[in-house]
Amino acid sequence: MPVVRIDAPSALPENRLKALADAVHSGLVTAMNVPPSDRFQIINRHDAATLLIDPAYPGVSRTAEAVIVAVALRAGRTDEQKPAFYKAVVAQAERVGGFKRDDILIALSENTLIDWSFGRGEVFPPPGN
């Protein structure tokens, strides 16, 4: 049940953003066991004044095409699944979208089932299920 937010420079072409979004979803499916139909993504474009990304922290070399991928998801993934997810996303984004490996920052935020409502103002899944 992840929700993905991708923040990218406004100059990044739409086809490359789509390739990144596909890479993120594919990584969630393959590395984190997310169902293929569980795709909720928000893509935001920013000018240079509203997307501030340090070009070198911590010891990487980012370009003006750097993006931030923030993923909110239910807790429970292992310490092995998370790096596998990062590697899968970056490899596919590099191969299909032409991204530079250092240009993709990924941040995970975990929560529990009580933190989700997919509609009707109800907890998902309902308590007791």
Side-chain angles (χ1 to χ4, degrees):
M1 297 180 274
V3 172
V4 175
R5 179 182 170 135
I6 299 172
D7 290 281
S10 57
L12 206 58
E14 188 173 321
N15 65 322
R16 293 188 61 210
L17 280 174
K18 172 79 165 81
L20 176 60
D22 290 346
V24 172
H25 185 67
S26 177
L28 287 168
V29 171
T30 60
M32 303 274 222
N33 300 321
V34 169
S37 62
D38 189 355
R39 187 169 183 169
F40 298 90
Q41 298 180 322
I42 305 158
I43 299 173
N44 291 298
R45 294 171 174 262
H46 301 270
D47 61 29
T50 62
L51 185 62
L52 307 175
I53 301 175
D54 188 284
Y57 183 85
V60 298
S61 180
R62 294 183 190 91
T63 71
E65 295 185 335
V67 299
I68 297 174
V69 177
V71 183
L73 71 164
R74 187 172 40 93
R77 276 41 180 226
T78 67
D79 287 349
E80 292 76 31
Q81 286 175 301
K82 294 171 187 179
F85 167 67
Y86 306 146
K87 290 180 188 305
V89 170
V90 170
Q92 184 174 332
E94 181 181 43
R95 186 178 68 255
V96 179
F99 283 86
K100 186 173 176 265
R101 299 176 73 79
D102 283 355
D103 279 345
I104 302 173
L105 183 154
I106 301 172
L108 302 179
S109 298
E110 296 181 311
N111 52 46
T112 63
L113 288 177
I114 194 69
D115 298 312
W116 293 88
S117 174
F118 278 84
R120 302 182 192 131
E122 298 173 3
V123 173
F124 181 84
N129 287 350

